[in-house]
Amino acid sequence: MDGPHDFHDHAFDLDEVSDGTEPTVFGQAARIHFAANYPETPHILDHQMSDHSSLTLDALANLAGELPEGSIEFNSGDLPIGVDGKPEATGLSIRDTIRHIATSNSWAVLKNIEQSPTYKTLLLSLLDEIKPEIEAKTGAMLRPQGFIFISSPNAVTPYHFDPEHNILLQLKGSKVMTQFPAGDARFAPDQVHEGYHSGGARELTWQDQFAEYGTELAIKAGQALFVPVMAPHFVRNGATSSISLSITWRSDWSFEEADARGFNRVLRKAGLNPRAPLRWPGSNKQKAYTYRALRKLGLVG
């Protein structure tokens, strides 16, 4: 969901949305459960977000009309787990795709919803509820982003990974996400990680033998699923149409992991076989800071 970055340039002041009241979406039990599992263990949380007026089909169709074209992606929902290249369009407009999602056999995503002031406030208010639990482990919460997925019955989101910490809130319908261990080169080779962080794609090559190693995590409306940074996954929608809100953020740790991958790419081009970055709570500061110095000097892209 993210691309090349400049470290720390995308922090938001989450205090701007806090009014001192008690959290209203993630209750105390959910926040305790989140704190115990963040940032490496997939887990399911309860939330109180399913009936928000800004997340109806009509409201989302209107949002789609306001967002720039590059922030909208939609295509056929009848996809395999693994794809090669960009899927074909359905022929419908994005607004018609969303309003008729129950019958359009489509999958749509509205990216970077924080471009809208209304949705930025919504995103930041959600993240503000769990900010203390996040920053206690992975450092400053950086680059908050939001993504809304609208899916027809049985639609598939193909196998891929993302560089953000991610909580996927199911608002309508249900889905099953199959996750694979983050950092395991069997499911996402190191060279693919390194290529992604230099501007490559995040789609991965699916192999049928992977299936036995995946963990299926089913969520319904009122539940949310945490996805660790760079955990390969694919998603299959349930028997009814679905709306999901993905709230994501980067952290000091995630940027260090990404920049360590960038430095490994430099080493690999020099003929070396570098060790993969450590997963949390391991530190990748040495490689990351070296890569940032090289980038500042203009020696790497």
Side-chain angles (χ1 to χ4, degrees):
M1 295 177 190
D2 203 0
H5 54 80
D6 295 312
F7 183 67
H8 279 299
D9 284 352
H10 298 268
F12 283 81
D13 181 6
L14 293 181
D15 292 335
E16 69 184 77
V17 299
S18 177
D19 61 4
T21 61
E22 287 298 312
T24 58
V25 174
F26 298 111
Q28 183 179 16
R31 297 197 309 279
I32 291 171
H33 188 50
F34 173 73
N37 288 282
Y38 178 77
E40 285 292 275
T41 305
H43 57 281
I44 294 173
L45 305 167
D46 292 329
H47 70 81
Q48 306 295 323
M49 190 72 184
S50 297
D51 297 319
H52 198 284
S53 60
S54 295
L55 298 169
T56 65
L57 288 179
D58 281 341
L60 297 178
N62 291 335
L63 174 62
E66 298 170 6
L67 291 175
E69 184 176 348
S71 297
I72 298 167
E73 181 181 349
F74 61 110
N75 49 54
S76 171
D78 187 16
L79 296 175
I81 294 171
V83 296
D84 185 11
K86 185 172 178 59
E88 300 253 342
T90 62
L92 297 173
S93 71
I94 181 60
R95 287 184 172 183
D96 284 343
T97 295
I98 292 172
R99 288 195 170 103
H100 303 290
I101 197 67
T103 57
S104 62
N105 189 25
S106 302
W107 172 90
V109 57
L110 307 182
K111 305 176 184 179
N112 299 112
I113 62 171
E114 67 279 1
Q115 295 172 94
S116 160
T118 297
Y119 289 87
K120 177 182 176 181
T121 298
L122 174 63
L123 170 67
L124 296 185
S125 68
L126 289 170
L127 290 174
D128 192 49
E129 292 190 11
I130 52 174
K131 179 184 176 183
E133 290 80 7
I134 291 168
E135 296 195 337
K137 289 188 173 180
T138 56
M141 180 190 287
L142 305 167
R143 197 183 288 187
Q145 295 178 311
F147 305 82
I148 297 175
F149 299 90
I150 307 103
S151 311
S152 294
N154 304 310
V156 170
T157 304
Y159 186 57
H160 69 287
F161 57 19
D162 301 301
E164 305 94 354
H165 307 277
N166 175 15
I167 297 177
L168 181 69
L169 291 85
Q170 190 67 18
L171 307 173
K172 303 293 181 185
S174 64
K175 58 182 51 172
V176 176
M177 179 184 289
T178 302
Q179 286 193 37
F180 297 81
D184 190 322
R186 290 177 298 171
F187 309 112
D190 291 333
Q191 293 90 332
V192 174
H193 281 269
E194 295 159 17
Y196 170 77
H197 287 299
S198 63
R202 46 189 189 91
E203 284 73 22
L204 302 173
T205 300
W206 172 255
Q207 299 179 38
D208 288 341
Q209 59 264 35
F210 291 171
E212 65 179 293
Y213 301 103
T215 299
E216 292 188 350
L217 297 152
I219 54 174
K220 60 186 179 181
Q223 293 182 315
L225 174 60
F226 175 73
V227 187
V229 168
M230 293 311 229
H233 59 278
F234 65 88
V235 184
R236 190 178 300 277
N237 205 43
T240 61
S241 53
S242 164
I243 302 174
S244 306
L245 168 63
S246 184
I247 59 172
T248 76
W249 63 96
R250 300 296 299 270
S251 65
D252 290 335
W253 183 87
S254 77
F255 277 121
E256 288 166 7
E257 192 270 351
D259 287 336
R261 292 284 187 185
F263 186 64
N264 278 0
R265 186 169 184 266
V266 173
L267 296 178
R268 200 177 302 278
K269 289 174 70 174
L272 302 176
N273 185 27
R275 188 180 70 172
L278 298 173
R279 296 297 301 181
W280 189 89
S283 173
N284 298 297
K285 290 182 185 295
Q286 185 173 1
K287 283 185 175 180
Y289 290 173
T290 302
Y291 184 69
R292 290 171 193 170
L294 293 174
R295 190 167 57 206
K296 188 173 183 179
L297 293 170
L299 300 177
V300 295

